[in-house]
Amino acid sequence: MTNERRVLVHPDKQALGASVAARFITKIIDVVDEQGRADIAISGGSVSTLVLAAIGQSQAQESVDWSKVHVWWVDERWVPEGDADRNITGTQTDFLEHVAIPAENVHPMAPSDAGLTIDEAATQYERELHDAAPDSADAPRFDITLLGVGPDGHTASLFPEFPQLRITDRMVVSVDDSPKPPAQRLTLTYPVINASQRVWVILSGAEKASVLGLALAGASVDEVPVGGVQGRKRTVFFVDQVAARDVPENLIASTY
Ligand SMILES: O=C(O)[C@H](O)[C@@H](O)[C@H](O)[C@H](O)COP(=O)(O)O
């Protein structure tokens, strides 16, 4: 099996969410069986409201040994604990309240009211990643990383033409002028994202069709940051039909 990027097309975003949820549950059960542990990294936005919510509501999730699953964040907004703009706030409601993941397995990035500067918070998360890494690695090789994509082609909090795109000697960095509010954020960098075994990119809506087409056609990472993500084993784009408008036919692995 090659690590070619694959695009799986679904009729609409509800079907997209249900399909990713079913695949996620199956894969996580296999990973826990094989490794005794699974590390996942999640994004905010529709990844949480569509996919994680579908997992939380699925009966099949009861077959997962969640005590062996660790949850990390791909990015987080620099706002106080409990703020509606924090990615974990929505994910708590969508997902964490519905699955039996022990609190010690949930690894949020620090909120802005924890007494740290944003850069201290970035360093703290790097330390937590490092402490959880297998022997030779710097960070957990996430078994599945769930990414969203903005209409400008950003993913995580890696934005077009931003300096964070070029950082390779840090695992977590701050963003101070995000074009997508809130302005201040923490984000994983490409080296950590691309150390993931599987990168699953979730996007729906016609407003994302052009950046998806550009990313898959090889546009520069500066122009379309989501084009810079690559799992070690798998890179799959899960999209709905309208977002697939500009996808090269040869990359479409399956339509519903
Ligand atoms: O913190 C964030 O804002 C997200 O992590 C961000 O990268 C998101 O995934 C994209 O903006 C897509 O968001 P939607 O899927 O909601 O369009």
Side-chain angles (χ1 to χ4, degrees), residues 5 9 38 56 67 111 123 142 153 160 174 210 212:
R5 287 173 171 167
V9 183
S67 71
T123 304
F142 302 126
S174 61
S210 59
L212 177 59

Side-chain angles (χ1 to χ4, degrees), residues 26-202:
T26 305
K27 180 53 71 180
I28 287 297
I29 290 171
D30 291 349
V31 168
V32 169
D33 283 352
E34 285 158 24
Q35 301 175 173
R37 168 177 170 145
D39 286 87
I40 63 173
I42 59 177
S43 298
S46 59
V47 160
S48 186
T49 55
L50 264 190
V51 173
L52 297 172
I55 295 169
Q57 288 150 24
S58 152
Q59 191 151 14
Q61 64 93 352
E62 290 163 18
S63 307
V64 178
D65 181 355
W66 293 104
S67 71
K68 303 283 191 345
V69 179
H70 287 253
V71 182
W72 303 85
W73 269 260
V74 165
D75 64 344
E76 188 54 279
R77 290 79 174 286
W78 189 243
V79 292
E81 184 67 56
D83 190 297
D85 266 341
R86 246 169 91 70
N87 285 330
I88 189 173
T89 304
T91 306
Q92 193 74 36
T93 313
D94 294 334
F95 176 59
L96 294 173
E97 287 171 4
H98 303 277
V99 297
I101 294 184
E104 62 270 22
N105 290 16
V106 178
H107 307 278
M109 293 179 172
S112 63
D113 57 351
L116 298 172
T117 65
I118 192 168
D119 290 322
E120 288 168 342
T123 304
Q124 179 190 65
Y125 208 65
E126 284 182 322
R127 205 174 301 122
E128 195 171 347
L129 286 166
H130 187 274
D131 292 349
D135 305 342
S136 59
D138 285 335
R141 291 202 175 116
F142 302 126
D143 296 290
I144 300 177
T145 292
L146 294 175
L147 297 176
V149 184
D152 62 353
H154 82 261
T155 191
S157 287
L158 300 171
F159 294 95
E161 311 293 342
F162 269 54
Q164 289 82 2
L165 298 173
R166 286 180 206 72
I167 296 177
T168 55
D169 60 349
R170 295 292 306 274
M171 297 196 281
V172 185
V173 292
S174 61
V175 178
D176 293 318
D177 42 1
S178 163
K180 175 180 179 183
Q184 286 196 295
R185 291 149 171 261
L186 292 168
T187 185
L188 299 185
T189 54
Y190 279 129
V192 187
I193 292 171
N194 292 342
S196 304
Q197 302 291 6
R198 297 163 196 85
V199 172
W200 292 5
V201 186
I202 320 295

Side-chain angles (χ1 to χ4, degrees), residues 218-229:
S220 81
V221 163
D222 259 330
E223 188 189 351
V224 188
V226 70
V229 303

Side-chain angles (χ1 to χ4, degrees), residues 9-24:
V9 183
H10 304 76
D12 56 43
K13 64 182 191 180
Q14 277 64 39
L16 167 63
S19 166
V20 179
R23 286 171 183 267
F24 179 96

